Amino acid sequence: RVVGIDVSPDMLAKARDRVARLGLRQVEAIEEGDAERLRYDDDSFDAAIALHVVSVVNDTAQFGAELRRVCKRGARIVIVNHFAQERGAMRLVEEALAPLAGMIGFHADFSRDDFIRASGLTVRAARPVNLFGYWTLLDCINAK
């Protein structure tokens, strides 16, 4: 059973179209929702995936707490997101662009380690997922 959640009505419409077009019967619901205040009961899910969510939530600790709350103990949680570079030229570019990115609601100026600490998630593995390593996949487990 699959439940899709997004804050964007446009993205939800695209998801619903894809579900219908591909006949994805395992998709139980496509719903508008807030990743920091999910409407699901505790321990509702066996797994979760959050693609490009961390950069757009207001409170990463609350987002992590919600993921842990709605997922069962031992659930796999996969997060794909951009995190600030630790050093080098890209770090300087990110720092310079942070105010502009913030104006459109995208926050790319926080470290992966800070997010992991704030979220309370247990990371099993972290690896870059695109050609230049700009996006990172965090393979987590809900250790509650």
Side-chain angles (χ1 to χ4, degrees):
R1 150 188 138 187
V2 175
V3 175
I5 303 165
D6 202 299
V7 70
S8 165
D10 291 339
M11 292 305 290
L12 292 167
K14 287 180 182 186
R16 287 183 185 108
D17 288 346
R18 179 174 284 184
V19 167
R21 186 175 72 251
L22 299 176
L24 302 176
R25 289 173 285 170
Q26 71 274 29
V27 178
E28 183 176 289
I30 301 289
E31 302 174 347
E32 189 168 343
D34 180 345
E36 295 172 70
R37 282 171 282 293
L38 297 167
R39 67 167 193 83
Y40 298 95
D41 293 334
D42 295 359
D43 303 318
S44 291
F45 297 98
D46 297 317
I49 184 166
L51 304 173
H52 317 294
V53 177
V54 180
S55 296
V56 297
V57 296
N58 292 319
D59 184 339
T60 57
Q62 179 61 31
F63 167 61
E66 278 296 274
L67 280 176
R68 291 190 330 274
R69 183 185 67 75
V70 300
C71 287
K72 296 174 183 172
R73 180 177 176 81
R76 185 175 186 193
I77 299 172
V78 175
I79 296 173
V80 175
N81 209 85
H82 170 73
F83 299 98
Q85 300 296 310
E86 297 294 320
R87 58 191 155 293
M90 276 306 292
R91 178 67 183 158
L92 297 173
V93 171
E94 288 173 348
E95 287 175 356
L97 294 177
L100 295 174
M103 291 171 62
I104 61 168
F106 180 80
H107 306 284
D109 54 347
F110 56 91
S111 80
R112 179 180 71 189
D113 291 343
D114 288 348
F115 168 70
I116 292 168
R117 265 190 302 282
S119 73
L121 294 169
T122 301
V123 178
R124 298 186 309 179
R127 64 179 181 273
V129 290
N130 69 345
L131 181 62
F132 300 108
Y134 194 72
W135 302 101
T136 299
L137 183 146
L138 298 176
D139 185 357
C140 306
I141 190 154
N142 190 13
K144 280 193 183 177

